[in-house]
């Protein structure tokens, strides 16, 4: 008799790849904060995924965008399956129209980048060995320049946050830094009473401007960095040839010292903090046009709006005051003529900066915080907390896609060259 033949064992079913299969994914924000861990279907689009993420702002405030680990965007009718998302994948959440990226420098020895929409700190730049006294972006936003009381300045990539170059040569702290509009030169103002002009690409010192105690900035009328606006030991502000050190214009007011200097976007006007007032000149005629008196405090910081239509000063008595730059021939303006008086800091306002569109103003204070204010209403829109010492400098630029793509790291140690 023939024995019964056993049927072959059943074949294992292949993993399910159907579009309706459910899976679990995680979602993280730009700064690395966990936003959600949710069950989704492979056939879902961006809108369906975002509908399951708690706490997202309304579309009027910011449009959420989702990216896979490879950088592919889940957009429009594209599904999770279309961009290769599988069970256990992590998506990155970007809120478009987040507003500008804020840069702060601090006495705690670090500089930081912040999301102005959420108030989250995007990254911390570490590498200086003492207080960071000044920080700014290049005009295209791709690089950051910092100056420190350790006597050095550094250039950083604004997207990967790597320290690209270190400038050494000052005998005392670097109190002010700037980069020329074409990105070719770096300017440093130091407590050793000199300003240094450096090649941004090689780090070579191109010239030394003597008798310039700080501050110093490049003049916008010279995109290649061949004109410098600087305070001098003679209690004046001078327009200086950056190559020869020759004085081209001298702006005089009174012997009270200059705490901060800024140029209008077209380079035609200059403002400086002179004791308790902010003074404005017409540069090429050396004419003093007006002084803006904010009250009892000392002027610690000044800035022009991007269109040149407004000026603002930060004061030691914890306020920032904004005026129209069109002073209509008046030689002395007070708080009564101010457009806005911003109150909220608990320490002196050490730095002020407008956003690129002029819609918001940033302030940094000795109280260890930075704030964002509406230029239209004067409302405080956001307070940025995280530094453990005075915020010495603020700057900003628009948010870009490179910020999202470079946001894998969070706390960056400088590797200066």
């Amino acid at each position: 008799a023939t024995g019964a033949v056993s049927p072959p064992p059943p074949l294992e079913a292949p993993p399910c790849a159907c579009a309706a299969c459910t899976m679990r994914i995680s979602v993280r924000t730009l700064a690395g904060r966990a936003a959600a861990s949710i069950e989704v279907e492979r056939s879902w689009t961006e809108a369906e995924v975002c509908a399951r993420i708690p706490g997202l702002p309304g579309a009027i405030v910011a449009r959420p965008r989702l990216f896979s680990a490879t950088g592919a965007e889940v957009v429009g009718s594209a599904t999770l399956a279309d961009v290769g998302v599988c069970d256990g994948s992590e998506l990155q959440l970007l809120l478009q129209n987040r507003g500008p990226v804020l840069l702060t420098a601090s006495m705690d020895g670090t500089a930081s980048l912040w999301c102005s929409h959420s108030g989250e700190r995007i990254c911390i730049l570490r590498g200086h060995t003492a207080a960071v006294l000044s920080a700014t972006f290049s005009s295209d936003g791709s690089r950051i320049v910092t100056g420190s009381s350790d006597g050095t300045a550094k250039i950083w990539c604004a997207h990967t946050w790597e320290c690209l170059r270190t400038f050494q040569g000052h005998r005392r702290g670097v109190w002010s830094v700037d980069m020329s509009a074409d990105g070719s030169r770096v300017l440093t103002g130091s407590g050793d009473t000199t300003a240094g002009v450096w090649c941004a690409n090689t780090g070579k010192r191109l010239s030394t401007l003597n008798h310039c105690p700080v501050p110093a900035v490049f003049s916008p009328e010279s995109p290649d960095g061949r004109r410098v606006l600087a305070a001098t030991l003679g209690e004046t502000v001078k327009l200086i040839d950056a190559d020869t050190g020759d004085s081209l214009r001298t702006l005089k007011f009174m012997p009270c010292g200059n705490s901060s200097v800024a140029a209008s976007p077209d380079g035609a006007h200059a403002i400086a903090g002179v004791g308790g007032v902010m003074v404005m000149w017409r540069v090429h005629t050396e004419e003093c046009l007006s002084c803006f008196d904010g009250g009892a405090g000392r002027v610690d910081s000044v800035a022009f709006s991007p269109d040149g239509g407004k000026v603002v000063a930060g004061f030691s008595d914890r306020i920032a005051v904004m005026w129209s730059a069109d002073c209509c021939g008046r030689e002395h303006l007070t708080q009564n003529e101010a457009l806005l008086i911003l109150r909220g800091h608990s320490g002196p306002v050490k730095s002020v900066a407008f956003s690129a569109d002029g819609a918001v103003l940033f302030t940094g204070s000795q109280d260890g915080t930075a704030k964002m204010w509406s230029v239209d209403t004067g409302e405080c829109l956001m307070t940025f907390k995280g530094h453990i010492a005075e915020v010495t400098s603020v700057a900003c630029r628009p948010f870009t896609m490179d910020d999202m793509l470079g946001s894998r790291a969070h706390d960056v140690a400088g590797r200066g060259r």
Side-chain angles (χ1 to χ4, degrees):
T2 59
V5 178
S6 302
L11 295 175
E12 291 188 10
C16 179
C18 65
C21 183
T22 61
M23 55 187 177
R24 179 165 287 275
I25 63 170
S26 58
V27 182
R28 290 189 175 273
T29 66
L30 174 72
R33 179 178 59 83
S37 176
I38 53 177
E39 285 194 355
V40 298
E41 295 182 4
R42 289 170 50 84
S43 61
W44 281 7
T45 63
E46 174 191 59
E48 291 170 306
V49 176
C50 288
R52 270 71 174 183
I53 301 175
L56 286 185
I60 294 177
V61 176
R63 181 173 79 82
R65 299 172 67 181
L66 294 173
F67 295 83
S68 70
T70 62
E73 183 173 6
V74 188
V75 62
S77 60
T79 66
L80 295 176
D82 292 336
V83 299
V85 175
C86 58
D87 189 48
S89 289
E90 181 178 288
L91 297 181
Q92 186 135 40
L93 172 67
L94 167 69
L95 296 174
Q96 198 173 22
N97 302 323
R98 309 164 63 94
V101 172
L102 171 64
L103 169 65
T104 57
S106 174
M107 293 291 285
D108 65 14
T110 69
S112 293
L113 291 173
W114 308 77
C115 168
S116 64
H117 173 79
S118 67
E120 288 181 300
R121 181 147 53 179
I122 299 170
C123 77
I124 303 172
L125 304 179
R126 303 183 189 274
H128 286 292
T129 58
V132 183
L133 304 175
S134 183
T136 189
F137 285 107
S138 60
S139 60
D140 65 359
S142 65
R143 287 175 288 177
I144 293 168
V145 187
T146 56
S148 169
S149 58
D150 64 12
T152 71
K154 292 178 181 288
I155 292 182
W156 312 73
C157 175
H159 304 307
T160 66
W161 313 320
E162 177 187 5
C163 181
L164 305 176
R165 187 157 285 103
T166 298
F167 302 86
Q168 297 177 311
H170 283 296
R171 298 187 304 276
R172 298 187 67 181
V174 176
W175 286 80
S176 66
V177 292
D178 198 10
M179 180 174 276
S180 59
D182 66 0
S184 65
R185 292 183 170 194
V186 169
L187 177 66
T188 55
S190 170
D192 64 12
T193 73
T194 69
V197 181
W198 313 75
C199 174
N201 294 323
T202 66
K204 178 183 178 181
R205 191 164 187 161
L206 303 176
S207 63
T208 298
L209 309 179
N210 294 310
H211 312 301
C212 298
V214 287
V217 296
F218 284 117
S219 173
E221 69 174 9
S222 177
D224 58 1
R226 297 186 184 276
R227 297 288 184 271
V228 170
L229 199 63
T232 70
L233 288 177
E235 307 297 352
T236 62
V237 174
K238 289 190 175 184
L239 183 67
I240 301 172
D241 185 304
D243 295 326
T244 66
D246 293 340
S247 175
L248 305 176
R249 297 285 187 274
T250 299
L251 312 178
K252 298 180 180 180
F253 186 68
M254 62 176 68
C256 294
N258 301 296
S259 59
S260 183
V261 173
S264 61
D266 60 3
H269 296 87
I271 51 176
V274 182
V277 298
M278 175 175 61
V279 182
M280 182 164 66
W281 295 268
R282 184 177 289 115
V283 174
H284 288 285
T285 65
E286 303 180 359
E287 177 187 3
C288 179
L289 300 176
S290 282
C291 63
F292 302 82
D293 189 345
R298 179 191 66 253
V299 177
D300 283 338
S301 52
V302 298
F304 271 100
S305 63
D307 63 1
K310 299 179 181 70
V311 291
V312 65
F315 288 87
S316 61
D317 56 355
R318 307 185 300 278
I319 63 172
V321 184
M322 187 184 304
W323 290 271
S324 169
D326 182 5
C327 44
C328 300
R330 288 174 290 179
E331 295 183 356
H332 189 270
L333 294 91
T334 68
Q335 286 190 15
N336 293 332
E337 290 80 37
L339 301 175
L340 290 173
I341 301 174
L342 306 176
R343 295 182 171 90
H345 282 295
S346 59
V349 178
K350 307 299 290 186
S351 184
V352 290
F354 283 92
S355 61
D357 61 4
V360 296
L361 177 75
F362 293 95
T363 56
S365 171
Q366 197 174 68
D367 65 14
T369 71
K371 291 181 181 289
M372 180 172 68
W373 311 80
S374 167
V375 170
D376 288 335
T377 67
E379 176 188 3
C380 182
L381 304 174
M382 183 73 66
T383 297
F384 304 87
K385 298 180 180 180
H387 284 297
I388 58 175
E390 172 184 328
V391 174
T392 56
S393 183
V394 293
C396 64
R397 63 157 173 77
F399 184 88
T400 70
M401 280 300 301
D402 287 331
D403 293 306
M404 192 281 297
L405 297 175
S407 65
R408 300 296 177 188
H410 184 71
D411 193 342
V412 181
R415 297 180 293 275
R417 298 178 183 176

